[in-house]
Coordinates of all heavy atoms in Angstrom, one line a residue:
M219 N 0.9 -1.2 0.0 CA 0.0 0.0 0.0 C 0.9 1.2 0.0 O 1.9 1.3 0.7 CB -0.9 0.0 1.2 CG -1.7 1.2 1.3 SD -3.3 1.1 2.2 CE -4.0 -0.4 1.7
P220 N 0.5 2.3 -0.8 CA 1.4 3.5 -0.9 C 1.6 4.1 0.5 O 0.7 4.1 1.4 CB 0.6 4.4 -1.8 CG -0.8 3.8 -2.0 CD -0.7 2.4 -1.6
Q221 N 2.8 4.7 0.7 CA 3.1 5.3 1.9 C 3.3 6.8 1.8 O 3.6 7.5 2.7 CB 4.4 4.7 2.4 CG 4.3 3.3 2.9 CD 4.0 3.2 4.4 OE1 3.8 4.2 5.1 NE2 4.1 2.1 5.0
E222 N 3.1 7.3 0.6 CA 3.3 8.8 0.4 C 2.1 9.5 1.1 O 1.0 9.1 1.0 CB 3.3 9.1 -1.1 CG 4.5 8.5 -1.9 CD 4.2 7.0 -2.1 OE1 3.0 6.6 -2.3 OE2 5.2 6.2 -2.0
P223 N 2.5 10.6 1.8 CA 1.4 11.4 2.4 C 0.4 11.9 1.3 O 0.8 12.3 0.2 CB 2.1 12.6 3.0 CG 3.6 12.1 3.2 CD 3.8 11.2 2.0
L224 N -0.9 11.9 1.6 CA -1.9 12.4 0.7 C -1.9 14.0 0.8 O -1.6 14.5 1.9 CB -3.2 11.8 1.1 CG -3.4 10.3 1.0 CD1 -4.7 9.9 1.6 CD2 -3.3 9.9 -0.5
S225 N -2.4 14.6 -0.3 CA -2.5 16.1 -0.2 C -3.8 16.4 0.6 O -4.6 15.5 0.9 CB -2.7 16.6 -1.7 OG -4.0 16.1 -2.1
Q226 N -3.9 17.7 1.0 CA -5.1 18.1 1.7 C -6.3 17.8 0.9 O -7.3 17.3 1.5 CB -5.0 19.6 2.0 CG -3.7 20.1 2.7 CD -3.8 19.9 4.2 OE1 -4.3 18.8 4.7 NE2 -3.3 20.9 5.0
T227 N -6.3 18.0 -0.4 CA -7.5 17.8 -1.2 C -7.8 16.3 -1.2 O -9.0 15.9 -1.0 CB -7.2 18.2 -2.6 OG1 -6.8 19.6 -2.6 CG2 -8.4 18.0 -3.5
E228 N -6.8 15.4 -1.3 CA -7.0 14.0 -1.3 C -7.6 13.5 0.0 O -8.5 12.7 0.1 CB -5.7 13.3 -1.6 CG -5.3 13.4 -3.1 CD -3.8 12.9 -3.3 OE1 -3.0 13.0 -2.4 OE2 -3.6 12.3 -4.4
V229 N -7.1 14.1 1.1 CA -7.6 13.8 2.4 C -9.1 14.2 2.5 O -9.9 13.4 2.9 CB -6.8 14.4 3.6 CG1 -7.4 14.2 4.9 CG2 -5.4 13.8 3.6
D230 N -9.4 15.4 2.1 CA -10.7 15.9 2.2 C -11.7 15.1 1.4 O -12.8 14.8 1.8 CB -10.8 17.4 1.8 CG -10.1 18.3 2.8 OD1 -9.9 17.8 4.0 OD2 -9.7 19.4 2.5
E231 N -11.2 14.7 0.2 CA -12.1 13.8 -0.7 C -12.4 12.5 0.0 O -13.6 12.1 0.0 CB -11.3 13.5 -2.0 CG -11.3 14.7 -3.0 CD -10.3 14.4 -4.1 OE1 -9.6 13.3 -4.1 OE2 -10.2 15.2 -5.1
R232 N -11.5 11.9 0.6 CA -11.7 10.7 1.3 C -12.5 10.8 2.6 O -13.4 10.0 2.9 CB -10.4 10.0 1.6 CG -9.7 9.4 0.4 CD -8.2 9.3 0.5 NE -7.6 8.7 -0.7 CZ -7.3 9.4 -1.8 NH1 -7.7 10.7 -1.8 NH2 -6.8 8.8 -2.8
L233 N -12.3 11.9 3.3 CA -13.1 12.2 4.5 C -14.6 12.4 4.2 O -15.5 12.0 4.9 CB -12.6 13.4 5.3 CG -11.2 13.3 6.0 CD1 -10.8 14.6 6.6 CD2 -11.4 12.2 7.1
A234 N -14.8 13.0 3.0 CA -16.2 13.2 2.6 C -17.0 11.9 2.5 O -18.2 11.8 2.6 CB -16.2 14.0 1.3
R235 N -16.2 10.8 2.3 CA -16.9 9.5 2.1 C -16.8 8.7 3.4 O -17.2 7.5 3.5 CB -16.2 8.7 1.0 CG -16.3 9.3 -0.4 CD -15.9 8.4 -1.5 NE -14.5 8.0 -1.5 CZ -13.5 8.8 -2.1 NH1 -13.9 9.8 -2.7 NH2 -12.3 8.4 -2.0
L236 N -16.4 9.4 4.5 CA -16.3 8.7 5.8 C -17.0 9.6 6.9 O -16.4 10.3 7.7 CB -14.8 8.5 6.2 CG -14.1 7.3 5.7 CD1 -12.6 7.3 6.0 CD2 -14.7 6.0 6.3
P237 N -18.3 9.6 6.9 CA -19.1 10.4 7.8 C -18.6 10.2 9.3 O -18.4 9.0 9.7 CB -20.5 9.9 7.7 CG -20.6 9.4 6.3 CD -19.2 8.8 6.0
G238 N -18.4 11.3 10.0 CA -17.9 11.2 11.4 C -16.5 11.3 11.5 O -16.0 11.7 12.6
W239 N -15.7 11.1 10.4 CA -14.2 11.3 10.5 C -13.9 12.7 10.1 O -14.6 13.3 9.3 CB -13.5 10.3 9.6 CG -13.6 8.9 10.1 CD1 -14.6 8.0 10.1 CD2 -12.5 8.2 10.8 NE1 -14.3 6.8 10.7 CE2 -13.0 6.9 11.2 CE3 -11.2 8.5 11.2 CZ2 -12.2 6.0 11.9 CZ3 -10.5 7.6 11.9 CH2 -11.0 6.3 12.2
S240 N -12.8 13.2 10.7 CA -12.4 14.6 10.4 C -10.9 14.6 10.5 O -10.2 13.7 11.0 CB -13.0 15.5 11.4 OG -12.6 15.2 12.7
R241 N -10.4 15.8 10.0 CA -8.9 16.0 10.1 C -8.7 16.6 11.5 O -9.4 17.4 12.0 CB -8.5 17.0 9.0 CG -7.0 17.3 9.0 CD -6.8 18.6 8.3 NE -7.4 18.7 7.0 CZ -6.9 18.1 5.9 NH1 -5.7 17.6 6.0 NH2 -7.5 18.2 4.8
E242 N -7.6 16.1 12.1 CA -7.2 16.6 13.4 C -5.7 16.8 13.4 O -4.9 15.9 13.5 CB -7.6 15.7 14.6 CG -7.7 16.3 15.9 CD -8.3 15.3 16.9 OE1 -9.5 15.2 17.0 OE2 -7.5 14.5 17.6
G243 N -5.3 18.1 13.1 CA -3.9 18.3 12.8 C -3.4 17.5 11.6 O -4.0 17.6 10.5
D244 N -2.4 16.8 11.8 CA -1.8 16.0 10.6 C -2.3 14.5 10.7 O -1.7 13.6 10.3 CB -0.3 16.0 10.6 CG 0.3 15.3 11.9 OD1 -0.4 15.1 12.8 OD2 1.5 15.1 11.8
R245 N -3.5 14.4 11.4 CA -4.1 13.0 11.5 C -5.5 13.1 11.1 O -6.1 14.1 10.9 CB -4.0 12.6 13.0 CG -2.6 12.8 13.6 CD -2.6 12.8 15.1 NE -2.9 11.6 15.7 CZ -2.0 10.6 16.0 NH1 -0.7 10.9 15.7 NH2 -2.3 9.5 16.5
I246 N -6.2 11.9 11.1 CA -7.6 11.8 10.9 C -8.2 11.2 12.2 O -7.4 10.4 12.9 CB -8.0 11.0 9.7 CG1 -7.5 9.6 9.7 CG2 -7.7 11.7 8.4 CD1 -8.1 8.7 8.6
A247 N -9.4 11.5 12.5 CA -9.9 11.2 13.9 C -11.4 10.9 13.8 O -12.1 11.4 12.9 CB -9.6 12.3 14.8
R248 N -11.8 10.1 14.7 CA -13.3 9.8 14.9 C -13.6 9.5 16.3 O -12.7 8.8 16.9 CB -13.7 8.7 14.0 CG -15.1 8.0 14.2 CD -16.2 8.8 13.5 NE -17.3 7.9 13.1 CZ -18.4 7.8 13.7 NH1 -18.6 8.3 14.9 NH2 -19.4 7.0 13.1
A249 N -14.7 9.9 16.9 CA -15.1 9.5 18.2 C -16.4 8.8 18.1 O -17.3 9.1 17.4 CB -15.3 10.8 19.1
Y250 N -16.4 7.7 18.9 CA -17.7 6.8 18.9 C -18.2 6.9 20.3 O -17.5 6.9 21.3 CB -17.3 5.4 18.6 CG -16.8 5.2 17.2 CD1 -15.4 5.2 16.9 CD2 -17.7 4.9 16.1 CE1 -14.9 4.9 15.6 CE2 -17.2 4.7 14.8 CZ -15.8 4.7 14.6 OH -15.3 4.5 13.3
R251 N -19.6 6.8 20.4 CA -20.2 6.6 21.7 C -20.8 5.3 21.7 O -21.5 4.8 20.8 CB -21.3 7.7 21.9 CG -22.0 7.6 23.2 CD -22.8 8.8 23.6 NE -22.1 10.0 23.7 CZ -21.3 10.3 24.7 NH1 -21.2 9.5 25.7 NH2 -20.6 11.4 24.7
L252 N -20.6 4.5 22.8 CA -21.1 3.2 23.0 C -22.2 3.1 24.1 O -22.4 4.1 24.8 CB -20.0 2.3 23.4 CG -19.0 1.9 22.3 CD1 -19.6 1.1 21.2 CD2 -18.2 3.0 21.7
A253 N -22.9 2.0 24.2 CA -24.0 1.9 25.1 C -23.5 1.7 26.5 O -24.3 1.9 27.5 CB -24.9 0.8 24.7
S254 N -22.2 1.3 26.7 CA -21.7 1.0 28.1 C -20.2 1.1 28.1 O -19.6 1.1 27.0 CB -22.2 -0.3 28.5 OG -21.5 -1.4 27.8
H255 N -19.7 1.1 29.2 CA -18.2 1.0 29.3 C -17.7 -0.3 28.8 O -16.6 -0.3 28.1 CB -17.8 1.2 30.8 CG -16.3 1.3 30.9 ND1 -15.5 2.3 30.4 CD2 -15.4 0.4 31.6 CE1 -14.2 2.0 30.6 NE2 -14.1 0.9 31.4
F256 N -18.4 -1.4 29.1 CA -17.9 -2.7 28.6 C -17.9 -2.7 27.1 O -17.0 -3.2 26.5 CB -18.8 -3.8 29.2 CG -18.2 -5.2 28.9 CD1 -17.2 -5.7 29.7 CD2 -18.6 -5.9 27.8 CE1 -16.7 -7.0 29.5 CE2 -18.1 -7.1 27.5 CZ -17.1 -7.7 28.4
A257 N -19.0 -2.2 26.5 CA -19.1 -2.2 25.0 C -17.9 -1.4 24.4 O -17.3 -1.8 23.4 CB -20.4 -1.6 24.6
A258 N -17.6 -0.2 25.1 CA -16.5 0.6 24.6 C -15.2 -0.2 24.7 O -14.4 -0.2 23.7 CB -16.4 1.9 25.3
T259 N -15.0 -0.9 25.8 CA -13.8 -1.6 26.0 C -13.7 -2.8 25.0 O -12.6 -3.0 24.4 CB -13.7 -2.2 27.4 OG1 -13.9 -1.1 28.3 CG2 -12.4 -2.9 27.7
A260 N -14.8 -3.4 24.7 CA -14.8 -4.6 23.8 C -14.5 -4.0 22.4 O -13.7 -4.7 21.6 CB -16.1 -5.2 23.8
M261 N -14.9 -2.8 22.0 CA -14.6 -2.3 20.7 C -13.2 -2.0 20.6 O -12.5 -2.2 19.5 CB -15.5 -1.0 20.5 CG -15.3 -0.4 19.1 SD -16.3 1.0 18.8 CE -15.8 1.5 17.2
V262 N -12.5 -1.5 21.7 CA -11.1 -1.2 21.6 C -10.3 -2.5 21.3 O -9.4 -2.6 20.5 CB -10.6 -0.6 23.0 CG1 -9.1 -0.6 23.1 CG2 -11.1 0.8 23.1
V263 N -10.7 -3.6 22.0 CA -10.1 -4.9 21.7 C -10.2 -5.3 20.3 O -9.3 -5.8 19.6 CB -10.6 -6.0 22.7 CG1 -10.1 -7.4 22.3 CG2 -10.3 -5.6 24.1
H264 N -11.4 -5.1 19.7 CA -11.7 -5.5 18.3 C -10.8 -4.6 17.4 O -10.2 -5.2 16.5 CB -13.2 -5.3 18.0 CG -13.6 -6.0 16.8 ND1 -14.9 -6.1 16.4 CD2 -12.9 -6.6 15.8 CE1 -15.0 -6.8 15.3 NE2 -13.8 -7.1 14.8
I265 N -10.7 -3.4 17.7 CA -9.9 -2.5 16.8 C -8.4 -2.9 16.9 O -7.7 -3.0 15.9 CB -10.0 -1.0 17.3 CG1 -11.4 -0.5 17.0 CG2 -9.0 -0.1 16.6 CD1 -11.7 0.9 17.6
A266 N -8.0 -3.3 18.1 CA -6.6 -3.8 18.3 C -6.3 -5.0 17.4 O -5.3 -5.1 16.8 CB -6.3 -4.0 19.7
Q267 N -7.3 -5.9 17.3 CA -7.1 -7.1 16.5 C -7.0 -6.7 15.0 O -6.1 -7.2 14.3 CB -8.4 -8.0 16.6 CG -8.5 -8.7 17.9 CD -9.8 -9.4 18.1 OE1 -10.8 -9.0 17.6 NE2 -9.8 -10.5 18.8
V268 N -7.8 -5.7 14.5 CA -7.7 -5.3 13.1 C -6.4 -4.6 12.9 O -5.7 -4.8 11.9 CB -8.9 -4.3 12.8 CG1 -8.7 -3.7 11.5 CG2 -10.2 -5.1 12.9
Q269 N -5.9 -3.8 13.9 CA -4.7 -3.1 13.7 C -3.5 -4.0 13.6 O -2.5 -3.8 12.9 CB -4.5 -2.1 14.9 CG -5.5 -1.0 14.8 CD -5.4 0.1 15.8 OE1 -5.9 1.2 15.6 NE2 -4.8 -0.1 17.0
E270 N -3.5 -5.1 14.4 CA -2.5 -6.1 14.3 C -2.5 -6.7 12.9 O -1.5 -7.0 12.3 CB -2.6 -7.1 15.4 CG -2.2 -6.6 16.8 CD -0.7 -6.2 16.8 OE1 0.1 -7.1 16.7 OE2 -0.5 -4.9 16.8
E271 N -3.7 -7.0 12.4 CA -3.9 -7.6 11.1 C -3.3 -6.7 10.0 O -2.6 -7.2 9.1 CB -5.3 -7.9 10.8 CG -5.6 -8.4 9.4 CD -7.1 -8.3 9.1 OE1 -8.0 -8.3 10.0 OE2 -7.4 -8.1 7.9
L272 N -3.6 -5.4 10.1 CA -3.1 -4.5 9.1 C -1.7 -4.0 9.3 O -1.1 -3.3 8.5 CB -4.1 -3.3 9.1 CG -5.5 -3.5 8.7 CD1 -6.3 -2.2 8.7 CD2 -5.7 -4.2 7.4
D273 N -1.2 -4.3 10.5 CA 0.1 -3.7 11.0 C 0.1 -2.2 10.8 O 1.0 -1.6 10.3 CB 1.3 -4.3 10.2 CG 2.6 -3.9 10.8 OD1 2.7 -3.6 12.0 OD2 3.6 -3.7 10.0
H274 N -1.0 -1.6 11.3 CA -1.2 -0.2 11.2 C -2.0 0.2 12.5 O -3.0 -0.4 12.7 CB -1.9 0.3 10.0 CG -1.7 1.7 9.6 ND1 -0.5 2.2 9.2 CD2 -2.5 2.7 9.7 CE1 -0.6 3.5 9.0 NE2 -1.8 3.8 9.3
H275 N -1.4 1.1 13.3 CA -2.0 1.4 14.6 C -2.3 2.8 14.9 O -1.6 3.7 14.6 CB -0.9 0.9 15.6 CG -0.5 -0.5 15.4 ND1 0.5 -0.9 14.5 CD2 -0.9 -1.7 16.0 CE1 0.6 -2.2 14.5 NE2 -0.2 -2.7 15.4
S276 N -3.5 3.0 15.4 CA -4.0 4.3 15.8 C -3.7 4.6 17.3 O -3.3 3.6 18.0 CB -5.5 4.4 15.6 OG -6.2 3.5 16.5
D277 N -3.9 5.8 17.7 CA -4.0 6.1 19.1 C -5.4 6.0 19.5 O -6.3 6.6 18.9 CB -3.5 7.5 19.4 CG -1.9 7.6 19.2 OD1 -1.3 6.5 19.2 OD2 -1.4 8.7 19.1
L278 N -5.7 5.2 20.5 CA -7.1 4.9 21.0 C -7.2 5.5 22.4 O -6.4 5.2 23.3 CB -7.4 3.4 21.0 CG -7.3 2.7 19.7 CD1 -7.4 1.2 19.9 CD2 -8.5 3.2 18.8
T279 N -8.3 6.3 22.6 CA -8.6 6.8 23.9 C -10.0 6.2 24.4 O -11.0 6.4 23.7 CB -8.7 8.3 23.9 OG1 -7.5 8.8 23.4 CG2 -9.0 8.8 25.4
L280 N -9.9 5.4 25.5 CA -11.1 4.8 26.0 C -11.7 5.7 27.1 O -11.0 5.9 28.1 CB -10.8 3.4 26.6 CG -11.9 2.7 27.3 CD1 -13.1 2.4 26.4 CD2 -11.3 1.4 27.9
G281 N -12.9 6.1 26.9 CA -13.6 6.9 28.0 C -14.6 6.0 28.7 O -14.6 4.8 28.5
Y282 N -15.5 6.6 29.5 CA -16.5 5.8 30.2 C -17.3 5.0 29.1 O -17.5 3.8 29.2 CB -17.5 6.7 31.0 CG -18.7 6.0 31.4 CD1 -18.6 4.9 32.3 CD2 -20.0 6.4 30.9 CE1 -19.8 4.2 32.6 CE2 -21.1 5.7 31.2 CZ -21.0 4.6 32.1 OH -22.2 3.9 32.4
D283 N -17.9 5.7 28.1 CA -18.7 5.0 27.1 C -18.3 5.6 25.7 O -19.1 5.6 24.8 CB -20.2 5.2 27.3 CG -20.6 6.7 27.3 OD1 -19.7 7.6 27.3 OD2 -21.8 7.0 27.4
T284 N -17.0 5.9 25.6 CA -16.5 6.5 24.3 C -15.2 5.8 23.9 O -14.4 5.3 24.7 CB -16.3 8.0 24.4 OG1 -15.3 8.2 25.4 CG2 -17.6 8.8 24.7
V285 N -15.0 5.8 22.6 CA -13.8 5.3 22.0 C -13.4 6.4 21.0 O -14.1 6.7 20.0 CB -13.9 4.0 21.3 CG1 -12.6 3.6 20.6 CG2 -14.3 2.9 22.3
S286 N -12.2 7.0 21.2 CA -11.7 8.0 20.3 C -10.5 7.4 19.5 O -9.6 6.8 20.1 CB -11.3 9.3 21.0 OG -12.4 9.9 21.6
V287 N -10.5 7.6 18.2 CA -9.4 7.1 17.3 C -8.8 8.3 16.6 O -9.4 9.1 16.1 CB -10.0 6.2 16.3 CG1 -8.9 5.5 15.4 CG2 -11.0 5.1 16.9
T288 N -7.5 8.3 16.7 CA -6.7 9.3 15.9 C -5.6 8.5 15.2 O -5.0 7.6 15.9 CB -6.1 10.5 16.7 OG1 -5.1 10.0 17.6 CG2 -7.2 11.2 17.4
V289 N -5.3 8.8 13.9 CA -4.3 8.0 13.3 C -3.6 8.8 12.1 O -4.3 9.6 11.5 CB -4.9 6.7 12.7 CG1 -6.0 7.0 11.7 CG2 -3.8 5.8 12.2
N290 N -2.3 8.6 11.9 CA -1.7 8.9 10.7 C -0.6 7.9 10.5 O -0.4 7.0 11.3 CB -1.1 10.4 10.7 CG 0.1 10.6 11.6 OD1 0.6 9.7 12.2 ND2 0.5 11.8 11.7
T291 N 0.2 8.1 9.5 CA 1.2 7.1 9.2 C 2.6 7.6 9.7 O 3.1 8.5 9.1 CB 1.3 6.7 7.7 OG1 0.0 6.3 7.3 CG2 2.3 5.7 7.4
H292 N 3.1 7.0 10.7 CA 4.3 7.5 11.4 C 5.4 7.6 10.4 O 6.1 8.6 10.3 CB 4.8 6.6 12.5 CG 3.7 6.2 13.4 ND1 3.6 5.0 14.1 CD2 2.5 6.8 13.8 CE1 2.5 4.9 14.8 NE2 1.9 6.0 14.7
T293 N 5.6 6.6 9.6 CA 6.8 6.5 8.7 C 6.7 7.6 7.6 O 7.7 7.9 7.0 CB 6.9 5.1 8.0 OG1 5.7 4.8 7.5 CG2 7.4 4.1 9.1
A294 N 5.4 8.0 7.3 CA 5.2 9.1 6.3 C 5.1 10.5 6.9 O 5.1 11.4 6.1 CB 4.0 8.7 5.4
G295 N 4.9 10.5 8.2 CA 4.7 11.8 8.8 C 3.5 12.5 8.4 O 3.4 13.8 8.4
G296 N 2.5 11.8 8.0 CA 1.2 12.4 7.6 C 0.2 11.3 7.3 O 0.4 10.1 7.6
V297 N -0.9 11.7 6.7 CA -2.0 10.8 6.4 C -1.8 10.1 5.1 O -1.4 10.8 4.1 CB -3.4 11.6 6.4 CG1 -4.5 10.6 6.0 CG2 -3.7 12.2 7.7
T298 N -1.9 8.8 5.1 CA -1.7 8.0 3.8 C -3.0 7.1 3.6 O -3.8 7.0 4.5 CB -0.5 7.1 3.9 OG1 -0.7 6.1 4.8 CG2 0.8 7.9 4.3
E299 N -2.9 6.4 2.5 CA -4.0 5.5 2.2 C -4.2 4.4 3.3 O -5.3 3.9 3.6 CB -3.8 4.7 0.9 CG -3.9 5.6 -0.3 CD -5.4 6.0 -0.6 OE1 -6.3 5.6 0.2 OE2 -5.6 6.7 -1.6
R300 N -3.1 4.1 4.0 CA -3.1 3.1 5.1 C -4.0 3.6 6.2 O -4.7 2.8 6.9 CB -1.7 2.8 5.6 CG -0.8 2.2 4.6 CD 0.5 1.9 5.2 NE 0.4 0.9 6.3 CZ 1.4 0.1 6.6 NH1 2.5 0.0 5.9 NH2 1.3 -0.8 7.6
D301 N -4.0 4.9 6.5 CA -4.9 5.4 7.5 C -6.4 5.3 7.1 O -7.2 4.9 8.0 CB -4.5 6.9 7.8 CG -3.1 7.0 8.2 OD1 -2.7 6.3 9.2 OD2 -2.3 7.7 7.5
F302 N -6.7 5.5 5.9 CA -8.0 5.4 5.4 C -8.5 3.9 5.4 O -9.6 3.6 5.6 CB -8.2 6.1 4.1 CG -8.3 7.6 4.2 CD1 -7.2 8.4 4.0 CD2 -9.5 8.2 4.7 CE1 -7.3 9.8 4.2 CE2 -9.6 9.5 4.9 CZ -8.5 10.3 4.6
A303 N -7.5 3.0 5.0 CA -7.9 1.6 5.0 C -8.2 1.2 6.5 O -9.2 0.4 6.7 CB -6.7 0.8 4.5
L304 N -7.5 1.6 7.5 CA -7.8 1.3 8.8 C -9.2 2.0 9.2 O -10.0 1.3 9.8 CB -6.7 1.8 9.8 CG -7.0 1.6 11.3 CD1 -7.3 0.2 11.7 CD2 -5.9 2.2 12.1
A305 N -9.4 3.2 8.8 CA -10.6 3.9 9.2 C -11.8 3.2 8.6 O -12.8 3.0 9.3 CB -10.6 5.3 8.7
R306 N -11.7 2.7 7.4 CA -12.8 1.9 6.8 C -13.1 0.6 7.5 O -14.2 0.2 7.7 CB -12.6 1.7 5.3 CG -12.7 3.0 4.5 CD -12.7 2.7 3.0 NE -11.3 2.5 2.5 CZ -10.5 3.5 2.1 NH1 -11.0 4.7 2.1 NH2 -9.3 3.3 1.6
R307 N -12.0 -0.1 8.0 CA -12.2 -1.3 8.7 C -12.9 -1.0 10.0 O -13.7 -1.8 10.5 CB -10.9 -2.0 8.9 CG -10.3 -2.6 7.7 CD -11.1 -3.9 7.2 NE -11.1 -4.9 8.3 CZ -10.2 -5.8 8.4 NH1 -9.1 -5.8 7.5 NH2 -10.2 -6.8 9.3
I308 N -12.5 0.1 10.7 CA -13.2 0.4 12.0 C -14.6 0.8 11.7 O -15.5 0.4 12.5 CB -12.4 1.6 12.7 CG1 -11.0 1.1 13.1 CG2 -13.2 2.1 13.9 CD1 -10.1 2.2 13.6
E309 N -14.9 1.5 10.7 CA -16.3 1.8 10.3 C -17.1 0.6 10.1 O -18.3 0.5 10.4 CB -16.4 2.7 9.1 CG -16.0 4.2 9.4 CD -17.1 4.8 10.3 OE1 -18.2 4.9 9.9 OE2 -16.7 5.2 11.5
E310 N -16.5 -0.5 9.5 CA -17.2 -1.7 9.3 C -17.5 -2.5 10.6 O -18.6 -3.1 10.7 CB -16.3 -2.6 8.4 CG -16.3 -2.2 6.9 CD -15.2 -3.0 6.2 OE1 -14.6 -4.0 6.7 OE2 -14.9 -2.6 5.0
L311 N -16.6 -2.4 11.5 CA -16.8 -3.2 12.8 C -17.7 -2.4 13.8 O -18.3 -3.0 14.7 CB -15.5 -3.6 13.4 CG -14.5 -2.6 14.0 CD1 -14.9 -2.2 15.4 CD2 -13.1 -3.1 14.0
A312 N -17.7 -1.1 13.7 CA -18.4 -0.3 14.7 C -19.9 -0.6 14.9 O -20.3 -0.8 16.1 CB -18.3 1.2 14.3
P313 N -20.7 -0.8 13.8 CA -22.1 -1.1 14.1 C -22.3 -2.4 14.9 O -23.3 -2.5 15.7 CB -22.7 -1.3 12.7 CG -21.7 -0.5 11.8 CD -20.4 -0.7 12.4
G314 N -21.4 -3.3 14.8 CA -21.6 -4.6 15.5 C -21.4 -4.4 17.0 O -21.9 -5.2 17.8
H315 N -20.8 -3.2 17.4 CA -20.7 -2.9 18.8 C -21.7 -1.9 19.2 O -21.7 -1.4 20.4 CB -19.3 -2.3 19.0 CG -18.2 -3.3 18.9 ND1 -17.8 -4.2 19.9 CD2 -17.4 -3.6 17.8 CE1 -16.8 -5.0 19.4 NE2 -16.6 -4.7 18.2
G316 N -22.6 -1.5 18.3 CA -23.6 -0.5 18.6 C -23.1 0.9 18.7 O -23.6 1.7 19.4
A317 N -21.9 1.1 18.1 CA -21.2 2.4 18.2 C -22.0 3.4 17.3 O -22.4 3.1 16.3 CB -19.8 2.3 17.7
Q318 N -22.0 4.6 17.9 CA -22.6 5.7 17.1 C -21.6 6.9 17.0 O -20.7 7.0 17.7 CB -23.9 6.2 17.9 CG -24.9 5.1 17.8 CD -26.1 5.4 18.7 OE1 -26.0 6.4 19.5 NE2 -27.1 4.5 18.7
Ligands
H2B12 C1 7.5 -2.3 12.1 C2 6.0 -2.0 11.9 O1 5.6 -2.6 10.7 C3 5.8 -0.5 11.6 O2 6.4 0.2 12.7 C4 4.3 -0.1 11.5 C5 3.5 -0.4 12.7 N1 2.3 0.4 12.8 C6 2.2 1.6 12.2 N2 1.2 2.4 12.5 C7 1.1 3.6 12.0 N3 0.0 4.4 12.3 N4 2.1 4.1 11.2 C8 3.1 3.4 10.9 O3 4.0 3.9 10.2 C9 3.3 2.1 11.4 N5 4.3 1.3 11.1

């Protein structure tokens, strides 16, 4: 998968297709609200499994009933396709956890 940083325009084009995700500095980010603390914790574990599979890792913040995700590509020093690939996988698994 390409590692070159995407342009601002390319990032914005991709964010437009990922409702709920936004640019946060030189990263992309999304916050989810869950029905309980346990559900939020289970979602973090599921995200970790996907991140190991992709060998691409976000910063995850677990709140009482929230999961916040921020990610960019460390080796590129910015947002790349790998970040969007991870974001799309997280969007796919989120509904199964009742995330909003
Ligand atoms: C050695 C390992 O493959 C690399 O360090 C991977 C791990 N996970 C990663 N995650 C992210 N977000 N960016 C990277 O550049 C990255 N590199």
